[in-house]
Amino acid sequence: MEKKYKGPSIMEELWEYIKMIIFVVMVVFVINNLLLINARIPSESMENTIMTGDRIFGNRLAYLSHDPERFDIVIFKFPDDESQLFIKRVIGLPGETVEILDGKVYIDGSDTPLDDSFTAETPIGDFGPYVVPEGSYFMLGDNRNCSRDSRYWIHPFVQKDKILGKAVLRYFPSPKLLK
């Protein structure tokens, strides 16, 4: 007498799907909390580099082996309300003095301003001087005339341990590496 093959029971099939779902959720959790940070840009403060509504990925591992560098675009906890995430460009490094005169940024009293070719329009205004504490950074938006950044915050500096990642890729509306 010939035996008929019986496939897996409904419970066995269901258990396989549950295991697959648990595995996928764990992988997404690890990627989202240890490797990447996903952010949506809510304002025009970083235009024309990153536009309002863009979606970006940040690398959470970028600063494990080295410190943020000037001009890096970083995602961080807003110093005045750590429940909010901000994205800005690193301008002032620990121990430096940052001064903005007629919209141009000067570091440590230099006669030559920083390159601001990435700004959306000609920046205006005088701010500072700001002495950046050790372990902290001074941040500015690329659209300086429309950016609420270190110049306006109650706590104007971002501590290194509050930087969550380096912005590396805009993936929506179209892919673009960030510099």
Side-chain angles (χ1 to χ4, degrees):
M1 187 155 147
E2 192 175 314
K3 281 190 166 180
K4 289 189 176 180
Y5 171 74
K6 283 188 171 183
S9 71
I10 292 176
M11 290 307 288
E12 290 171 331
E13 188 90 15
L14 184 60
W15 178 240
E16 290 301 316
Y17 281 115
I18 289 171
K19 288 192 307 190
M20 182 175 57
I21 290 169
I22 290 170
F23 176 76
V24 168
V25 167
M26 288 174 33
V27 168
V28 168
F29 179 81
V30 167
I31 289 172
N32 198 37
N33 289 292
L34 299 176
L35 301 176
L36 296 177
I37 185 165
N38 184 8
R40 184 177 98 35
I41 308 306
S43 73
E44 67 275 3
S45 71
M46 287 298 293
E47 291 181 357
N48 289 332
T49 306
I50 308 170
M51 305 302 283
T52 305
D54 284 359
R55 302 285 306 191
I56 64 161
F57 282 132
N59 177 0
R60 288 184 185 269
L61 304 177
Y63 300 121
L64 287 181
S65 62
H66 69 279
D67 292 334
E69 298 175 4
R70 189 177 338 275
F71 302 127
D72 283 356
I73 300 171
V74 296
I75 303 163
F76 56 92
K77 291 181 179 181
F78 177 43
D80 294 343
D81 177 2
E82 290 190 6
S83 70
Q84 296 182 55
L85 297 183
F86 272 38
I87 183 166
K88 303 285 181 205
R89 193 177 291 273
V90 174
I91 299 296
L93 303 175
E96 292 182 336
T97 299
V98 178
E99 189 166 17
I100 301 168
L101 301 170
D102 197 26
K104 299 286 186 191
V105 179
Y106 297 87
I107 303 295
D108 292 336
S110 172
D111 292 333
T112 307
L114 291 180
D115 174 24
D116 63 359
S117 58
F118 47 78
T119 57
E121 56 188 27
T122 304
I124 58 173
D126 296 332
F127 301 90
Y130 303 93
V131 178
V132 183
E134 287 302 319
S136 296
Y137 298 86
F138 186 85
M139 308 290 185
L140 291 176
D142 287 0
N143 189 1
R144 304 250 171 91
N145 298 332
C146 297
S147 179
R148 291 288 167 215
D149 46 40
S150 285
R151 299 169 293 172
Y152 301 105
W153 302 337
I154 295 167
H155 303 96
F157 307 106
V158 176
Q159 297 172 346
K160 183 183 179 193
D161 65 349
K162 302 301 180 186
I163 296 175
L164 302 177
K166 179 179 180 179
V168 291
L169 175 70
R170 177 188 74 191
Y171 66 89
F172 179 85
S174 61
K176 172 186 171 186
L177 288 175
L178 299 174
K179 296 177 184 175

